[in-house]
Amino acid sequence: MRFEAQLEEAMRVKWRAYYINYPGLKERIAEMESDPTVSNQEFLKQLRSQMLKAMHFYDSVESRIAMEARGELTSDAVSAIMHEIQALKTYAKLNTDGLRKIAKKYDKRCGQTKTMQADILKT
């Protein structure tokens, strides 16, 4: 199964807007690959924006879970918190895998220097 399908299947519906836009980033890479005159600067800005979006959401959910975990908890509350922690762990893994795969695609198809890291450092 392709990663895009895995991501779509594993996404938590109520968090859908906070996952990285893997299809959009992949589409941008295809544009740069098909037209070498297209600058990678817009892609790198979009990538940064997607990373920050995912990181901010992760931090906010983590903080909310920590607040909920304070004080006395019923067994149902503990179960709900554990479920939320597992969902957050899955969220982090999916976004990390997506970013890694996008970086690999970028490097393989249109890295202007040697790697995405080098291109980011140039900007």
Side-chain angles (χ1 to χ4, degrees), residues 42-91:
E42 195 59 39
F43 169 79
L44 294 174
K45 272 193 236 176
Q46 185 180 4
L47 177 67
R48 179 177 170 74
S49 169
Q50 292 297 309
M51 288 184 341
L52 291 173
K53 174 181 74 171
M55 287 173 25
H56 290 306
F57 180 74
Y58 181 94
D59 290 343
S60 70
V61 173
E62 184 180 52
S63 295
R64 183 178 50 78
I65 291 171
M67 293 293 286
E68 290 174 5
R70 293 193 176 116
E72 283 190 44
L73 300 171
T74 65
S75 62
D76 286 344
V78 169
S79 179
I81 289 172
M82 294 302 291
H83 178 72
E84 198 77 351
I85 290 170
Q86 185 58 44
L88 188 59
K89 183 178 174 183
T90 301
Y91 170 85

Side-chain angles (χ1 to χ4, degrees), residues 22-39:
Y22 183 82
L25 292 168
K26 195 171 137 184
E27 192 175 299
R28 181 67 68 158
I29 289 172
E31 288 171 16
M32 289 187 304
E33 186 178 24
S34 66
D35 182 1
T37 64
V38 173
S39 169

Side-chain angles (χ1 to χ4, degrees), residues 6 12 21 35 38 47 64 67-70 78 80 86 97 102 110 115 117 120 122:
Q6 287 177 317
R12 192 169 192 193
N21 182 2
D35 182 1
V38 173
L47 177 67
R64 183 178 50 78
M67 293 293 286
E68 290 174 5
R70 293 193 176 116
V78 169
Q86 185 58 44
D97 287 351
I102 284 295
C110 51
T115 63
Q117 181 180 3
I120 289 171
K122 273 178 59 176

